[in-house]
Amino acid sequence: MMKEMKKLTAILLVLVLAATLTVGCASGKENKEDEKIPVDSQQTETPEVPEEPEEPEIVEPQEVVSTLVVCGDMMTHLPITQDAWNAERGWYDFTRLMAAAEPYVSIADGAVVNLETTLAGGPNYSGYPNFNAPDKLAYDLKDLGFDLIMTSNNHSLDKGGKAVIRTLDVLDEVGLLHVGTSRSQEEYDNNVQVLDVGGISIAFLAYTYGTNGIPTPSSAPYAVNLFNTDYLTYMSTPDTEKILADLELAQNTGADMVAVMIHWGNEYQTTQNSYQKKIAKLLTENGADLVLGGHPHVLQPMEMMDVTYADGTAGEAFVSYSLGNFISSQNYELTDTTVVLTVELTKNLETGETRVSDYWYRPMFMLDREGGTNRFELLDIYEQLEDENLSDSLRQPLEKALENIHKILGPEHDEVYRQQQAQQPSVEAEQSAAAEQPTEQTPAA
């Protein structure tokens, strides 16, 4: 028994020794392999995943801002039409006469002008007192950048009812919107034209005080929009019923604003008369946001008018009483002076409120060289005055015209004058800056 126990003990010792040797060999092998593995490979780092760029936050615009350009009366006195004839090409070209306005008209979101002539057809074109211009005038106005034409003025019936129809047909053919005259009772009853001005819609109406004593045709009493019931006599009784109905019609179009282009006032008078003020009050208190006047052949003031509406609420409306002659052959003082007016419009996209937020003008002068070819030319006054080679004979009337413009319209809305004032530091600012400069102290003796 003892012998067997010793034998068993010996076997166990052998087995333990073998296990120990096996473990030791295995440990030695692993250590050697570990030594062969580069240290860097044992410290592998998880590669960084680049962060995806954040989507830029889309900021919705809170308002829309656009510009409407307004020009005065487009008059084709016979000398103007004759000067527009281009013998080399064999057609009429009015673009040369009014090219100075193109930089301002073409960049606007919308542009309007009063067409104070008929397009009754040639070849017998005429000027005062019964105007009839070549169709090419309409094409040139379109090329210059105009969008909408006012056709109601004291010369609308110069060539009769058929000329009213033909004038509108030509404007349609050219692609110019028009307002103020009609070819049918249906057009008359709905004589409102909506123009998209850079995302702001304006419903336009147009009227004239009279038609130079020419009655509307008995077969077409709807031919011309008139704001006086006594348009053949005293021209002093407003057709309130029609005006209010038309303003309601314009508002019902859903347009953002309502504009009224109107032919009124005393010729050659540089201030608005009491009747103009009365009609402006009637229009603005009943929904007109802009009143754009013409007819006097000279400039008259423009203003933001405080308005109290029928429901008692208060607001503002922009009124321009007259921009004078845009193009004409009248060459005496003030009749040769005009401006290209820019009206800035702003619409709040949250409330839908739309207002006139600013306005400014560019001074212009109608040059009459009094003879030869290229006799007439609209000039940008500031552009001309910057020319060092400008003759004194032209500089003097240009400076006088600018003086008159500032006197009538005020310089603060002159586009260039405004820029010049903004670039010049005020006297107070200069004095303040000088006072803040450190002074040298005299050392004590």
Side-chain angles (χ1 to χ4, degrees):
M1 183 70 176
M2 181 63 72
K3 183 178 181 181
E4 292 176 356
M5 287 293 293
K6 289 181 178 178
K7 186 177 179 181
L8 181 58
T9 300
I11 293 171
L12 289 172
L13 289 171
V14 171
L15 291 172
V16 171
L17 179 60
T20 301
L21 291 172
T22 303
V23 172
C25 291
S27 300
K29 183 178 179 182
E30 289 177 3
N31 289 338
K32 287 180 180 178
E33 289 178 353
D34 287 346
E35 291 174 359
K36 295 177 181 179
I37 299 174
V39 176
D40 291 344
S41 65
Q42 295 182 23
Q43 300 175 350
T44 306
E45 297 181 357
T46 304
E48 293 185 2
V49 179
E51 295 183 3
E52 294 186 6
E54 294 184 3
E55 289 288 335
E57 183 180 355
I58 300 176
V59 180
E60 296 293 336
Q62 299 300 308
E63 60 184 23
V64 173
V65 179
S66 66
T67 54
L68 174 71
V69 157
V70 187
C71 291
D73 300 335
M74 176 76 223
M75 306 198 69
T76 53
H77 296 96
L78 194 55
I80 289 286
T81 299
Q82 292 170 340
D83 193 49
W85 175 251
N86 188 317
E88 292 182 3
R89 296 189 175 185
W91 65 39
Y92 289 93
D93 180 11
F94 293 88
T95 56
R96 178 190 58 77
L97 283 74
M98 51 188 179
E102 191 273 340
Y104 312 101
V105 174
S106 62
I107 66 170
D109 296 302
V112 300
V113 67
N114 170 47
L115 181 66
E116 197 154 355
T117 181
T118 66
L119 304 174
N124 297 320
Y125 301 117
S126 55
Y128 182 83
N130 300 117
F131 286 86
N132 176 30
D135 296 352
K136 185 63 162 48
L137 173 61
Y139 287 88
D140 291 347
L141 289 171
K142 176 70 173 180
D143 288 344
L144 197 74
F146 286 105
D147 302 290
L148 183 143
I149 304 298
M150 174 186 179
T151 54
S152 53
N153 51 66
N154 57 313
H155 291 286
S156 296
L157 294 175
D158 278 4
K159 294 294 182 178
K162 290 183 179 179
V164 171
I165 296 173
R166 189 181 185 283
T167 298
L168 299 182
D169 288 344
V170 172
L171 295 177
D172 284 342
E173 180 182 290
V174 172
L176 283 167
L177 299 177
H178 49 79
V179 63
T181 54
S182 304
R183 290 165 286 204
S184 66
Q185 186 66 48
E186 182 181 3
E187 281 191 350
Y188 178 78
D189 293 339
N190 297 278
N191 205 313
V192 56
Q193 193 67 254
V194 178
L195 177 65
D196 182 353
V197 181
I200 295 176
S201 56
I202 304 179
F204 281 87
L205 298 169
Y207 302 95
T208 179
Y209 70 91
T211 52
N212 288 348
I214 304 172
T216 55
S218 57
S219 59
Y222 46 73
V224 184
N225 280 11
L226 298 149
F227 69 84
N228 290 316
T229 56
D230 55 349
Y231 75 100
L232 293 175
T233 55
Y234 298 107
M235 296 171 286
S236 59
T237 307
D239 191 344
T240 305
E241 182 179 352
K242 174 175 174 52
I243 290 172
L244 295 183
D246 286 349
L247 286 169
E248 183 178 2
L249 176 67
Q251 291 169 320
N252 289 340
T253 63
D256 297 310
M257 305 186 83
V258 174
V260 177
M261 301 180 73
I262 188 164
H263 220 61
W264 60 359
N266 295 336
E267 292 184 331
Y268 314 113
Q269 187 175 99
T270 58
T271 55
Q272 64 273 32
N273 61 33
S274 59
Y275 193 49
Q276 285 172 279
K277 293 178 182 179
K278 178 181 178 179
I279 297 299
K281 188 172 186 290
L282 174 65
L283 293 171
T284 56
E285 288 184 350
N286 289 281
D289 302 291
L290 302 99
V291 178
L292 309 172
H295 172 64
H297 303 299
V298 295
L299 290 168
Q300 290 184 346
M302 55 185 70
E303 63 178 337
M304 291 299 301
M305 178 183 290
D306 292 328
V307 180
T308 301
Y309 302 109
D311 60 3
T313 59
E316 281 188 323
F318 175 75
V319 180
S320 170
Y321 289 98
S322 174
L323 294 179
N325 295 325
F326 174 49
I327 300 295
S328 85
S329 68
Q330 293 183 314
N331 59 3
Y332 37 96
E333 189 174 351
L334 298 176
T335 62
D336 53 11
T337 303
T338 187
V339 300
V340 175
L341 171 66
T342 299
V343 182
E344 181 187 81
L345 312 171
T346 299
K347 178 180 179 180
N348 185 311
L349 294 178
E350 292 184 358
T351 65
E353 178 188 1
T354 309
R355 61 190 175 88
V356 173
S357 48
D358 198 3
Y359 61 94
W360 57 88
Y361 60 80
R362 187 78 179 194
M364 297 280 168
F365 177 81
M366 191 67 192
L367 174 65
D368 180 1
R369 297 184 175 91
E370 300 185 5
T373 57
N374 300 340
R375 173 182 171 182
F376 296 98
E377 183 181 1
L378 188 67
L379 301 180
D380 184 319
I381 292 179
Y382 279 112
E383 188 176 277
Q384 293 294 317
L385 291 177
E386 290 174 359
D387 185 357
E388 295 179 354
N389 297 319
L390 184 67
S391 65
D392 290 339
S393 60
L394 181 53
R395 182 177 297 276
Q396 291 175 2
L398 289 175
E399 290 177 343
K400 181 62 177 177
L402 186 60
E403 179 185 335
N404 288 331
I405 291 170
H406 286 174
K407 185 181 299 183
I408 299 168
L409 303 182
E412 65 274 13
H413 293 290
D414 179 327
E415 176 188 30
V416 176
Y417 178 86
R418 181 188 286 187
Q419 293 171 354
Q420 292 172 344
Q421 292 300 108
Q423 292 169 359
Q424 295 177 357
S426 65
V427 175
E428 292 82 1
E430 290 180 351
Q431 291 175 344
S432 176
E436 293 176 2
Q437 293 296 322
T439 56
E440 294 184 5
Q441 297 293 329
T442 303

